[in-house]
Amino acid sequence: MSCVNLIEKERNAIINPLKTCQPLGAMYAVTGIRRAVPLVHGSQGCSTFVRYSLSRHFREPSEIAVTSLHEDAAVFGGRRNLIEGLQNVAIRLNPSLIGVITTCSSEIIGDDIIGFIKTAKKELAEKIGEEKTEKIKIVPINTPSFVETHLKGYDNAVKALIDHIAEPSEPNEKINIIPGMVNPGDIREIKHILGLMDIEGIVLTDISDPFDSPLRPSATELKPYYPKGGTTVEEIVDSANSTGTISLTKYAGSGAVSLEKKYNVPVELGPIPIGVQNTDQFLRNLKKLTGQDVTDDILDERGLLIDSMADLSSRYLHDRTVAIYGDPEITAGMARFVGELGMVPQLVLTGASNKEFVPDIGKVAKETGVEIDTMVGGDLRQMEVYLKDNPVDLLIGSSDGRLIAKEAEIPLVRIGFPVYDRVGYHRHPIVGYNGGIHLIDLITNTVLENYYEHQHWKLQQ
Ligand code: SF4
């Protein structure tokens, strides 16, 4: 039998959520722009908790400004806070771009963000001059955090950046890549693949350097306020002239769809290139949009992954059951990859409620030939209860599942966001063939550590 067994949550309350609120995804996206500042229009905590979450995952400081709304703003609105906040950020930090990110409070108050930005620009022009003011792009990003997840906030931010900044001119023969909420190691792997195929890319947006920066205090003209790297505003402008856009996540590809609708830039949505099939599809998409051939070097990398699978899958991994939880794209990609490894993706769980998720898991179930228990819009408590009656050999997901793993005595392979109780995970890719090799090593070492005798290196009974 091969199908999806959809398990509904039996309560409305969320216990141990598998998601955070929309602004986090928008702050992540804006951080990937060179000399950009995320300005959160909300209360202090809306930025503090995100700075804390990002910093403990990436082990880098994250610079996020906030308009610091208090009780009076709830009654009178946050007009003055936003206008003064924008001017402070513009004058002190001289950014290339400010992303104005809304929150629960500013959305519920109904603040006129676009009107406030207009007023702020007018006042700013009187202080620093028209020309300097025009050089700073100010993009409103609506992230009503009482609905959906951080991934939707990321999607809204990338779409807003494209809608406000992209401008058609001459074709540039580049490929736009919307990477989704991945790690610096993943973006570097995607750029490595593009390099091997001799394709120039525009990453919308590129957090690889901002969230994994060299410590060289005087090495860049961007210091002290900005980290090295990131997508430039000029590149975002130019994204309207690209040969195509590949969104590595179909669940957050509205920016790509917008480029297609407005500027006829062809789009390919997903899948995230985790594992063999998905990476093959990514390469097919690149070839389709650019006409560039897959090179021998890439085929060698594919061969190394297949070699690892041949060496390790049947010996250590075959038939081991897995529960996978996290963001929809990564969860679906991992389910397919563990299936490719001969393991059984027994449970997949996401905190998001995307409609396409269940059919996507259905395809994996069909390919793998197993029944997959699936939870959509779920939380970690749901998984905890499930595991009591349906234990698995391995958990795959974020650090948020660590206590469940400990209690249930099931080893946990940490991937996704956030990973804060181990170091270095953000540096290594899980995408591309190289990412597949990294994953298979991680999974196999976890199995060896937990299911094999230490002395004789035999399977424990
Ligand atoms: S849920 Fe609302 S109040 Fe809480 S951090 Fe997110 S935006 Fe701020």
Side-chain angles (χ1 to χ4, degrees):
M1 181 165 37
S2 58
C3 68
V4 166
N5 175 27
L6 192 60
I7 303 176
E8 303 283 346
K9 187 148 57 70
E10 287 170 357
R11 62 195 143 75
N12 289 326
I14 289 184
I15 304 173
N16 292 334
L18 250 180
K19 57 184 180 184
T20 51
C21 63
Q22 287 203 36
L24 182 143
M27 291 178 233
Y28 168 100
V30 174
T31 304
I33 302 170
R34 196 173 168 87
R35 284 185 50 226
V37 180
L39 173 61
V40 178
H41 189 39
S43 61
Q44 197 81 38
C46 303
S47 73
T48 308
F49 112 82
V50 174
R51 291 177 66 181
Y52 173 63
S53 302
L54 295 175
S55 294
R56 71 181 179 162
H57 176 86
F58 294 111
R59 310 273 167 169
E60 290 286 353
S62 61
E63 300 291 342
I64 295 166
V66 62
T67 56
S68 196
L69 300 184
H70 287 268
E71 298 89 333
D72 51 349
V75 180
F76 303 113
R79 182 175 181 276
R80 212 56 240 166
N81 298 54
L82 183 55
I83 291 171
E84 284 175 12
L86 277 168
Q87 292 179 46
N88 279 341
V89 171
I91 292 169
R92 288 184 185 193
L93 305 180
N94 187 26
S96 62
L97 181 143
I98 304 173
V100 177
I101 297 164
T102 62
T103 55
C104 298
S105 46
S106 48
E107 287 285 342
I108 286 179
I109 296 165
D111 270 355
D112 171 15
I113 306 294
I114 293 176
F116 298 171
I117 291 176
K118 269 190 197 153
T119 311
K121 279 176 112 173
K122 210 167 141 210
E123 291 183 13
L124 190 62
E126 287 163 16
K127 291 179 184 162
I128 63 170
E130 196 101 10
E131 198 185 334
K132 267 190 167 174
T133 304
E134 280 312 309
K135 277 193 183 156
I136 303 171
K137 305 278 182 200
I138 302 180
V139 179
I141 301 170
N142 286 93
T143 46
S145 24
F146 34 80
V147 289
E148 304 208 39
T149 71
H150 52 280
L151 191 63
K152 182 63 184 163
Y154 168 84
D155 191 33
N156 287 351
V158 175
K159 183 172 186 303
L161 291 163
I162 288 170
D163 285 348
H164 281 83
I165 301 180
E167 270 176 32
S169 55
E170 293 301 306
N172 62 21
E173 301 194 347
K174 293 180 183 171
I175 280 288
N176 302 322
I177 302 282
I178 297 178
M181 293 188 69
V182 293
N183 279 319
D186 296 313
I187 294 186
R188 288 178 180 143
E189 180 61 25
I190 293 296
K191 291 203 264 190
H192 162 75
I193 293 172
L194 296 183
L196 290 180
M197 289 179 74
D198 205 13
I199 297 169
E200 264 197 85
I202 298 176
V203 182
L204 300 165
T205 65
D206 181 356
I207 52 85
S208 59
D209 284 333
F211 278 139
D212 191 19
S213 262
L215 188 57
R216 299 179 59 199
S218 56
T220 153
E221 82 283 6
L222 301 174
K223 294 281 177 185
Y225 303 123
Y226 301 104
K228 179 178 178 257
T231 311
T232 62
V233 167
E234 292 72 25
E235 285 177 305
I236 304 176
V237 172
D238 201 22
S239 63
N241 307 304
S242 295
T243 313
T245 307
I246 298 178
S247 176
L248 301 190
T249 163
K250 69 195 280 191
Y251 302 104
S254 339
V257 173
S258 187
L259 279 170
E260 184 172 56
K261 276 192 189 149
K262 285 176 153 176
Y263 309 117
N264 293 321
V265 179
V267 58
E268 294 291 337
L269 294 178
I272 189 165
I274 292 178
V276 181
Q277 276 193 67
N278 282 7
T279 306
D280 288 353
Q281 185 57 47
F282 175 61
L283 295 173
R284 276 195 288 273
N285 290 342
L286 280 174
K287 184 170 163 55
K288 179 176 160 194
L289 292 172
T290 65
Q292 292 293 88
D293 283 324
V294 174
T295 59
D296 242 27
D297 288 338
I298 296 181
L299 293 177
D300 273 350
E301 289 180 359
R302 186 180 194 276
L304 285 170
L305 172 57
I306 301 292
D307 186 47
S308 297
M309 292 166 74
D311 291 344
L312 304 173
S313 297
S314 57
R315 189 171 300 175
Y316 303 116
L317 306 180
H318 191 74
D319 268 353
R320 292 219 172 262
T321 52
V322 189
I324 307 165
Y325 59 92
D327 284 350
E329 193 72 48
I330 290 180
T331 309
M334 280 306 304
R336 174 163 287 142
F337 185 45
V338 299
E340 289 174 352
L341 295 176
M343 304 173 89
V344 178
Q346 181 180 309
L347 169 72
V348 291
L349 160 64
T350 182
S353 303
N354 303 76
K355 284 192 200 118
E356 303 102 319
F357 185 72
V358 175
D360 284 350
I361 297 302
K363 280 185 210 151
V364 176
K366 207 169 163 199
E367 291 159 13
T368 317
V370 295
E371 186 172 349
I372 302 181
D373 293 337
T374 305
M375 299 173 183
V376 178
D379 57 25
L380 285 168
R381 173 67 185 158
Q382 205 183 353
M383 181 173 82
E384 190 179 3
V385 171
Y386 170 93
L387 290 174
K388 286 194 196 319
D389 293 330
N390 309 276
V392 293
D393 293 321
L394 213 61
L395 292 175
I396 296 182
S398 72
S399 296
D400 287 342
R402 72 201 183 286
L403 298 179
I404 295 172
K406 188 161 186 261
E407 175 76 24
E409 297 184 344
I410 301 171
L412 168 64
V413 174
R414 289 158 176 82
I415 63 150
F417 180 89
V419 173
Y420 45 77
D421 62 338
R422 294 290 184 275
V423 295
Y425 279 58
H426 65 287
R427 275 193 278 278
H428 303 287
I430 61 168
V431 303
Y433 301 125
N434 288 329
I437 294 170
H438 172 60
L439 276 175
I440 198 171
D441 288 348
L442 260 184
I443 293 171
T444 310
N445 283 333
T446 308
V447 167
L448 287 174
E449 175 72 24
N450 289 277
Y451 293 106
Y452 282 75
E453 280 182 7
H454 287 223
Q455 299 94 322
H456 306 299
W457 213 50
K458 286 182 192 158
L459 189 62
Q460 288 171 348
Q461 293 309 310

